[in-house]
């Protein structure tokens, strides 16, 4: 009888601690990467992040509407551009396009989780504005990009 009680108690402990506890991997949230967009900069706390999933929290601290684009690459100057100076996103290989957050109005924040494998990435704003005097302003051409490395 004593052995049967011990076996039953062990089964209960196993069921409670191992059988019904959600795994930590399933409940862990991806790390946050805080990004600030201002005319004409993309600011991130550091140049290096962990590969894998990251939640990019992008705040527009500027006065104009911006967007946030991630593409694989190490040199913003090597990206294909259009006549207006913006990046020609259609000319970038699909495998190098990670994703984007569009139409981030001044003072607003948007977030999205992206998965980055090891390597360099370009973060950029590809918004093009037309000023009241007709001048076309490409945020990318004005230097609104930065490079990060996932490892």
């Amino acid at each position: 009888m004593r052995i049967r009680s011990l076996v039953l108690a062990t089964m209960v402990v196993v069921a409670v601690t191992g059988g019904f506890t959600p795994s930590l991997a399933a409940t862990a949230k991806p790390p946050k990467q805080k990004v600030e967009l201002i005319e004409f900069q993309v600011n991130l706390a550091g140049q290096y992040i962990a590969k894998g999933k990251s939640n990019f929290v992008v705040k527009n601290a500027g006065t104009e509407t911006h967007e946030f684009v991630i593409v694989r690459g190490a040199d913003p100057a090597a990206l294909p551009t259009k006549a207006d100076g913006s990046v020609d996103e259609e000319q970038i290989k699909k495998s190098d396009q990670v994703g984007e957050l569009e139409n981030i109005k001044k003072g607003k924040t948007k977030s999205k989780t992206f998965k980055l494998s090891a390597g360099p990435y370009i973060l950029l704003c590809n918004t093009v504005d037309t000023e009241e005097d007709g001048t076309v302003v490409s945020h990318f051409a004005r230097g609104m990009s930065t490079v990060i490395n996932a490892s």
Side-chain angles (χ1 to χ4, degrees), residues 4-142:
R4 182 182 283 170
S5 295
L6 184 57
V7 170
L8 182 58
T10 302
M11 289 173 59
V12 168
V13 169
V14 169
V16 170
T17 60
F20 300 106
T21 304
S23 76
L24 291 176
T27 60
K29 293 183 180 178
K32 287 185 181 179
Q33 308 299 329
K34 292 183 179 179
V35 180
E36 182 181 69
L37 305 176
I38 57 174
E39 290 79 30
F40 289 97
Q41 300 171 18
V42 177
N43 297 319
L44 187 72
Q47 291 181 312
Y48 299 93
I49 66 171
K51 68 180 180 179
K53 291 183 179 179
S54 279
N55 183 281
F56 286 83
V57 180
V58 183
K59 180 178 183 176
N60 182 351
T63 59
E64 300 187 23
T65 299
H66 293 292
E67 71 176 354
F68 176 72
V69 180
I70 304 175
V71 296
R72 179 179 281 283
D75 181 9
L79 293 174
T81 56
K82 297 179 181 178
D84 62 12
S86 66
V87 175
D88 189 346
E89 294 179 47
E90 292 180 8
Q91 297 301 315
I92 297 172
K93 294 188 306 185
K94 291 285 184 201
S95 60
D96 289 341
Q97 296 177 18
V98 178
E100 64 186 287
L101 292 165
E102 296 178 315
N103 199 32
I104 307 170
K105 301 202 180 297
K106 66 180 178 177
K108 299 297 181 183
T109 300
K110 289 187 177 184
S111 66
K112 189 171 183 178
T113 299
F114 298 103
K115 185 176 181 180
L116 280 63
S117 56
Y121 292 87
I122 302 166
L123 312 179
L124 64 103
C125 175
N126 206 29
T127 299
V128 177
D129 293 320
T130 303
E131 302 294 326
E132 290 180 17
D133 66 0
T135 304
V136 175
V137 178
S138 162
H139 294 203
F140 175 77
R142 295 278 307 265

